C-alpha cells in the first residue's frame, strides 16, 4: 500500500523499486459502464460443445475449397486422394466420429470484451474443464503429455493452449481449434535479415513446404507470420490459419505475397498426401505486424487437410 | 494409375521384393499397431534380452494411435501417424525381429531405406488424415500388449482390403520423392 500523500520512488520489502504515481482522478461526472456478467459454467459448456463439434466436422470453408480444387489437380492419384478426403469428412459428420484420430492440441483463442465480467470461476480453469469434458464425452483422443521429457499422458487432453486478448465491448468470443501434431511438427520460424526481404520470406516458406512434404498431410493451409518479435510472429502464423480459406489478407502487401506464394507452393509438386501433384495447398494466409529495424521474423504454421476449428460468442 | 495388388499377412521376403514404389496395394489379414512408446518398450525389452509379447516376424506394423471406439464400434478413427519418429528403431526390428512391413505416413530416413533393401521389406504409405474412412477397413481390434500405454498400446487389427501405396520398396524406390519430382514445375522451364 502506498502511504498517504507520498509520491515518488520507494523500495518495497522485496527490495524492488516501486514507482508511485499521483493518484488518478476520474473526470467528473464519473461515467461508469455496467459490466456484463458471464458465468464460468457457460464458458465450460461452450468449449465442451465446440471441441466435439469441430472434431466431427472438418471446416465447411475448407471442404468447399477442396471440392473446387479437385479439377485443378493433374495427378490421378492426387484427385482420388482429394475425393477420399471429402468422403472421410462425410463419414465423420454422418456417424459422429472424429475425422482424424489426432484430435490435437486444443488451441483456444479468447477475446474478452473489457466490459465483460466472468463470475462463478476462473476463465482458464473453465476452458480446461470444457476441454476435459469434451474430449472425454466426445470420445476424442487424448494426446497431451504433462511434461515434454517425462511424457506422461494427462488423459483428458488438458491443458488447453490458451491465447487471451482483451478487446473492446462486452462479449466473450471463443475460437477452439484442434491442431494435429503431424502438421504442427512441420512448422518453422526464422529471424531473417531485413536485407533478405520478400525473396527471403518466400524461400523460407517454400523450404518449409518441401521439407514437410507428406508429413503435414497436404493439401494444407500455409499460415505465415511476418514481423513482430519471436513469439508474436509465431502467433500470427497460427492465427492466419483460422481465416476463412482463401480470403485475402486486408493488407495489400500481404495479399500480394499470399497469391505469389500459393502459386509457388503449388509448383513444388508435393501434391495431395505427398504422392505428387499440383494441389499442395488450398491457400497461403499471411499476417503481418510491425517489427524492429534490425529484424525480419518469419514463421510458418502448417494446417493439415483435417482443418478443424469452431467459434462461439457469449 | 497402376494396377492394384493384393497381399495377405503374414507375407514373405519374396512377396516384399515383388512390390515396387508407387504400387497400390490392398492388405488383408492382421496388422499390429505400434508407435513411439511401444517401439521404445520393444527396443528396451530386446536390449534386456527378455522375451517380446508379440512375434513380429513377417508382420506389418501400422503406426496408429486410434481415437476411442464408440459403444458397439470396433475402433475409433484410425489413420496413420508420422513414421519418421520411429525411424531410429526400424533397422534393428528388420534385422533382429524379421519385421516385413510398416504402414504410416511421411518420409523415412536413409538408414531405414537402406535397411529395407538389405532385409527385403517394404514401407507402405496410407493417406494421413483419413481416420474415419480407414477405420471402415478394420474388422476387429484387440489389445495384445502394453495396455497401460492407452492409445499407444499394441493392438492386433484384422483388416480387409486396407488401402496403401508402396512408398519405399526393397530397391531404393521412393514414391513420395518420385511423385513430387514428376509434378514439380520449374518456373524457368515454363518461361523458356
Amino acid at each position: 500500500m502506498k502511504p498517504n500523500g507520498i509520491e515518488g520512488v520507494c523500495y518495497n520489502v522485496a527490495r524492488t523499486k516501486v514507482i508511485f504515481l499521483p493518484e488518478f482522478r476520474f473526470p467528473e461526472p464519473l461515467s461508469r459502464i455496467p459490466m456484463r456478467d458471464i458465468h464460468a459454467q457457460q464458458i465450460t459448456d461452450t468449449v465442451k460443445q465446440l471441441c466435439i463439434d469441430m472434431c466431427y466436422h472438418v471446416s465447411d470453408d475448407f471442404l468447399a475449397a477442396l471440392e473446387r480444387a479437385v479439377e485443378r489437380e493433374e495427378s490421378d492419384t492426387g484427385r482420388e486422394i482429394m475425393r477420399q478426403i471429402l468422403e472421410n469428412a462425410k463419414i465423420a459428420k454422418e456417424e459422429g466420429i472424429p475425422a482424424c484420430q489426432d484430435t490435437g492440441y486444443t488451441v483456444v483463442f479468447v477475446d474478452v470484451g473489457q466490459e465483460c465480467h466472468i463470475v462463478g470461476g476462473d476463465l482458464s480453469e473453465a476452458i480446461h474443464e470444457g476441454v476435459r469434458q469434451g474430449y472425454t464425452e466426445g470420445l476424442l483422443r487424448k494426446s497431451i503429455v504433462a511434461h515434454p521429457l517425462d511424457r506422461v499422458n494427462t488423459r483428458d487432453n488438458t491443458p488447453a493452449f490458451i491465447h487471451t486478448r482483451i478487446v473492446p465491448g462486452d462479449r466473450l468470443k471463443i475460437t477452439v481449434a484442434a491442431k494435429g501434431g503431424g502438421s504442427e511438427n512441420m512448422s518453422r520460424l526464422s529471424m531473417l535479415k531485413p536485407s533478405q526481404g520478400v525473396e527471403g520470406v518466400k524461400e523460407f516458406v517454400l523450404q518449409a513446404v518441401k521439407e514437410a512434404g507428406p508429413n503435414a498431410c497436404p493439401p494444407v493451409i500455409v499460415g505465415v507470420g511476418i514481423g513482430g518479435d519471436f513469439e508474436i510472429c509465431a502467433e500470427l502464423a497460427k492465427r492466419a490459419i483460422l481465416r476463412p480459406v482463401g480470403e485475402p489478407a486486408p493488407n495489400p502487401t500481404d495479399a500480394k505475397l499470399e497469391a505469389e506464394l500459393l502459386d509457388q507452393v503449388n509448383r513444388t509438386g508435393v501434391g495431395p498426401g505427398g504422392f505428387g501433384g499440383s494441389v499442395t495447398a488450398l491457400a497461403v494466409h499471411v499476417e503481418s505486424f510491425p517489427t524492429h529495424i534490425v529484424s525480419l521474423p518469419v514463421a510458418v504454421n502448417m494446417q493439415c487437410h483435417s482443418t478443424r476449428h469452431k467459434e462461439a460468442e457469449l | 494409375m497402376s494396377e492394384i495388388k493384393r497381399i495377405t499377412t503374414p507375407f514373405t521376403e519374396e512377396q516384399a521384393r515383388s512390390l515396387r514404389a508407387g504400387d497400390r496395394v490392398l492388405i488383408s489379414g492382421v496388422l499390429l499397431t505400434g508407435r513411439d512408446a511401444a517401439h521404445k518398450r520393444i527396443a528396451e525389452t530386446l536390449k534386456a534380452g527378455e522375451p517380446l509379447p508379440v512375434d513380429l516376424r513377417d508382420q506389418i506394423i501400422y503406426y496408429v494411435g486410434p481415437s476411442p471406439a464408440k459403444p458397439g464400434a470396433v475402433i475409433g478413427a484410425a489413420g496413420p501417424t508420422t513414421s519418421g519418429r520411429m525411424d531410429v528403431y526400424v533397422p534393428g526390428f528388420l534385422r533382429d525381429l524379421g519385421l516385413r512391413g510398416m504402414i504410416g505416413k511421411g518420409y523415412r530416413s536413409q538408414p531405414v531405406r537402406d535397411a529395407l533393401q538389405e532385409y527385403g521389406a517394404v514401407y507402405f504409405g496410407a493417406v494421413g488424415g483419413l481416420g474415419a474412412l480407414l477405420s471402415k477397413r478394420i474388422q476387429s481390434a484387440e489389445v495384445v500388449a502394453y495396455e497401460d500405454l492407452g492409445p499407444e498400446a499394441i493392438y492386433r487389427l484384422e483388416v480387409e482390403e486396407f488401402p496403401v501405396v508402396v512408398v519405399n520398396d526393397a530397391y531404393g524406390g521412393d514414391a513420395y520423392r518420385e511423385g513430387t519430382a514428376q509434378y514439380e514445375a520449374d518456373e524457368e522451364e515454363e518461361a523458356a
Side-chain angles (χ1 to χ4, degrees):
Chain A
M1 272 303 272
K2 188 187 84 161
N4 278 341
I6 294 181
E7 284 163 21
V9 177
C10 295
Y11 290 87
N12 67 7
V13 287
R15 309 294 305 158
T16 49
K17 202 192 252 182
V18 179
I19 297 173
F20 293 117
L21 296 174
E23 195 176 327
F24 179 78
R25 293 182 196 284
F26 281 91
E28 295 296 341
L30 178 66
S31 59
R32 293 206 62 138
I33 300 167
M35 299 293 276
R36 185 168 162 270
D37 285 350
I38 294 181
H39 201 282
Q41 186 65 47
Q42 279 176 273
I43 297 170
T44 296
D45 293 347
T46 303
V47 169
K48 171 188 165 182
Q49 203 51 52
L50 292 175
C51 286
I52 297 174
D53 285 352
M54 73 177 169
C55 289
Y56 297 172
H57 301 97
V58 177
S59 300
D60 286 335
D61 57 331
F62 184 91
L63 293 176
L66 184 66
E67 209 159 354
R68 289 195 299 272
V70 173
E71 293 315 312
R72 286 208 307 275
E73 175 53 61
E74 292 166 35
S75 149
D76 292 342
T77 306
R79 281 196 303 278
E80 186 180 309
I81 290 172
M82 291 164 88
R83 288 192 201 101
Q84 286 174 346
I85 296 169
L86 292 166
E87 173 70 12
N88 182 69
K90 190 162 166 264
I91 293 172
K93 185 178 172 180
E94 286 174 1
E95 299 192 12
I97 56 174
C100 177
Q101 72 289 339
D102 185 356
T103 47
Y105 301 77
T106 317
V107 187
V108 182
F109 297 92
V110 197
D111 285 350
V112 184
Q114 64 181 20
E115 275 93 45
C116 153
H117 182 212
I118 295 153
V119 297
D122 85 79
L123 174 64
S124 298
E125 189 39 50
I127 293 170
H128 296 318
E129 184 57 29
V131 168
R132 190 172 287 126
Q133 292 178 11
Y135 275 67
T136 306
E137 291 175 35
L139 298 172
L140 310 178
R141 199 182 76 184
K142 291 81 180 169
S143 309
I144 303 303
V145 293
H147 187 282
L149 295 177
D150 301 340
R151 308 202 74 80
V152 178
N153 198 303
T154 63
R155 294 190 172 264
D156 57 13
N157 223 53
T158 64
F161 296 72
I162 306 173
H163 303 272
T164 309
R165 289 192 298 209
I166 305 293
V167 299
D170 64 357
R171 301 278 156 177
L172 187 136
K173 186 175 151 196
I174 305 174
T175 305
V176 182
K179 189 67 180 65
S183 59
E184 190 72 0
N185 278 351
M186 303 320 290
S187 303
R188 299 286 181 264
L189 191 146
S190 182
M191 306 302 279
L192 302 182
K193 296 182 181 75
S195 62
Q196 290 176 271
V198 71
E199 288 311 315
V201 170
K202 285 183 179 176
E203 197 182 316
F204 183 73
V205 174
L206 287 174
Q207 190 59 34
V209 170
K210 286 179 194 169
E211 273 174 27
N215 296 38
C217 289
V220 292
I221 302 294
V222 185
V224 180
I226 46 174
D229 57 0
F230 185 78
E231 79 281 0
I232 283 188
C233 189
E235 192 176 328
L236 289 172
K238 180 148 284 176
R239 286 189 184 271
I241 61 181
L242 299 173
R243 199 196 301 157
V245 176
E247 184 183 291
N251 177 308
T253 304
D254 299 345
K256 181 165 177 277
L257 180 58
E258 287 175 345
E260 290 168 2
L261 269 174
L262 180 60
D263 181 56
Q264 286 177 301
V265 164
N266 284 333
R267 287 170 182 272
T268 58
V270 170
F275 289 100
S278 42
V279 180
T280 301
L282 296 184
V284 177
H285 292 168
V286 176
E287 293 282 327
S288 61
F289 198 79
T291 191
H292 192 282
I293 47 174
V294 303
S295 299
L296 175 50
V298 53
V300 179
N301 193 224
M302 292 289 180
Q303 172 59 63
C304 62
H305 65 70
S306 207
T307 296
R308 296 154 294 175
H309 51 84
K310 291 252 175 226
E311 59 182 54
E313 197 175 78
L314 299 178
Chain B
M1 245 184 289
S2 61
E3 168 201 354
I4 296 178
K5 297 183 175 177
R6 284 163 204 278
I7 62 166
T8 304
T9 61
F11 74 124
T12 62
E13 180 176 345
E14 191 189 343
Q15 284 175 297
R17 289 194 186 275
S18 75
L19 298 172
R20 293 293 184 139
D23 284 353
R24 294 196 299 154
V25 179
L26 294 173
I27 301 173
S28 297
V30 169
L31 302 178
L32 296 164
T33 73
R35 38 186 290 156
D36 311 54
H39 276 72
K40 184 163 182 261
R41 207 174 280 184
I42 289 174
E44 285 166 0
T45 309
L46 268 182
K47 204 174 166 192
E50 289 162 15
L52 288 176
V54 285
D55 183 5
L56 295 178
R57 184 155 303 279
D58 291 337
Q59 298 293 347
I60 295 175
I61 293 186
Y62 180 23
Y63 301 139
V64 61
S67 63
K70 277 172 80 165
V74 168
I75 199 165
T81 191
T82 306
S83 308
R85 297 193 313 272
M86 272 59 77
D87 281 353
V88 63
Y89 304 105
V90 170
F93 284 19
L94 296 179
R95 184 187 60 230
D96 301 332
L97 302 175
L99 179 67
R100 195 60 61 203
M102 295 149 284
I103 303 172
K105 64 149 175 152
Y107 297 127
R108 304 312 300 258
S109 66
Q110 191 61 51
V112 170
R113 287 181 275 151
D114 291 345
L116 293 174
Q117 295 188 61
E118 186 169 354
Y119 304 110
V122 178
Y123 168 51
F124 300 99
V127 179
L130 299 185
L133 187 74
L134 291 171
S135 73
K136 301 294 167 200
R137 306 299 178 98
I138 300 170
Q139 314 295 313
S140 74
E142 58 167 329
V143 176
V144 290
Y146 308 154
E147 190 161 12
D148 59 299
L149 297 179
E152 297 211 44
I154 299 182
Y155 284 74
R156 179 182 186 276
L157 306 180
E158 283 179 341
V159 297
E160 187 73 33
E161 302 200 326
F162 193 88
V164 293
V165 174
V166 177
V167 171
N168 294 118
D169 59 22
Y171 303 93
D174 188 322
Y176 288 141
R177 286 178 171 82
E178 289 156 22
T180 298
Q182 191 185 340
Y183 289 93
E184 187 178 3
D186 192 323
E187 279 181 82
E188 283 158 38
E189 253 176 44
E190 295 219 340

